[in-house]
Amino acid sequence: MGRLLDLGERVELVSMDPHFHDISISLYRETGEGGASGYLAHSYSGKDGVAERLDFVMRAMAVMGGMVPAPGQPGRLAFACGEEHRAAVKRLFLEACKKAPGSKVAALPMSIYDRKNDFTIDATATGSGGYRLAVAGGEGDDKVARRVDGVTRGLIKLAEMEPGAELGEARFACGTTHDELVGLLLGRALNVRAAMREAEAAAARGVLAAPSAQQQT
Ligand SMILES: [Zn+2]
């Protein structure tokens, strides 16, 4: 494992990248200018093409998560609000690493088809970081309302949002719109229990696979 760099706090780990020689890739967070959380994907692998792979993962995160260059932290990405958004960024990083080199990357729409109930749930930004989830034409239907409420709670959990004033409403405490994050997490909010299990498994793997050199937490 070559020389060790001070990259900040490691927040997530992909222990084997199936799209690139099973290398491990980690996501690091460092506080930069004005307290903004700057994120960097890094690998200690010395394989040819690692820099290009990391570059692809970072670009995928920017597109899929709406991240921007971190002010004063060259090469790092941040959310426009500067907040950590830890749970969301972890999911974003894992999803970016699932993309094969050269594959098309796009932000997901804020709309999800609920197969179980055969309707589509749409999220709409209401300003100041707020979102409203609804099923078109489903107003006044108890079953729809319960499902929308459940998915909204899932989104609140996965994106670390706050409940809004009404059922089906949620907001980011930073007061900033994050359409890409809502799109990214909406599908997972349909089945929160499975998503939480997966997150726990990933965390356990991270602990087991943590190189001994990573003690500077
Ligand atoms: Zn934010």
Side-chain angles (χ1 to χ4, degrees):
M1 127 158 312
R3 77 208 159 90
L4 209 68
L5 306 166
D6 184 14
L7 300 168
E9 168 202 11
R10 188 171 72 175
V11 299
E12 188 54 284
L13 164 78
V14 166
S15 54
M16 279 200 289
D17 175 6
H19 299 300
F20 194 79
H21 307 291
D22 288 345
I23 64 168
S24 70
I25 305 178
S26 297
L27 182 70
Y28 292 90
R29 190 197 73 85
E30 203 165 54
T31 305
E33 254 174 42
S37 285
Y39 290 98
L40 178 73
H42 180 78
S43 175
Y44 280 100
S45 164
K47 287 213 162 40
D48 277 351
V50 166
E52 287 76 8
R53 177 59 177 155
L54 295 173
D55 194 47
F56 175 84
V57 169
M58 291 285 278
R59 272 184 291 132
M61 286 180 72
V63 173
M64 296 162 73
M67 297 185 85
V68 296
Q73 294 181 284
R76 288 189 181 240
L77 291 172
F79 292 106
C81 59
E83 289 300 315
E84 200 172 330
H85 290 304
R86 180 174 288 243
V89 84
K90 283 163 78 120
R91 173 48 42 194
L92 175 61
F93 171 66
L94 295 175
E95 292 299 323
C97 288
K98 283 182 190 170
K99 298 282 179 191
S103 64
K104 222 172 158 208
V105 172
L108 293 170
M110 292 197 296
S111 183
I112 192 76
Y113 175 63
D114 181 358
R115 207 171 289 128
K116 213 152 77 179
N117 293 298
D118 190 28
F119 52 58
T120 298
I121 301 174
D122 298 302
T124 316
T126 56
S128 306
Y131 287 86
R132 183 181 300 120
L133 274 62
V135 172
E139 296 83 3
D141 183 327
D142 279 356
K143 188 179 139 192
V144 169
R146 270 198 306 275
R147 183 61 169 156
V148 167
D149 181 42
V151 174
T152 306
R153 286 167 194 273
L155 189 64
I156 286 167
K157 196 158 197 166
L158 294 169
E160 294 170 326
M161 295 170 82
E162 296 173 341
E166 314 238 343
L167 285 185
E169 289 185 354
R171 66 179 296 273
F172 288 101
C174 61
T176 308
T177 54
H178 289 293
D179 289 3
E180 293 88 347
L181 294 183
V182 170
L184 182 81
L185 297 168
L186 198 51
R188 304 184 64 76
L190 278 181
N191 190 351
V192 179
R193 236 172 277 175
M196 298 311 277
R197 266 202 306 273
E198 200 184 318
E200 279 162 24
R205 272 202 311 280
V207 169
L208 292 173
S212 55
Q214 292 297 330
Q215 284 165 350
Q216 82 273 21
T217 42

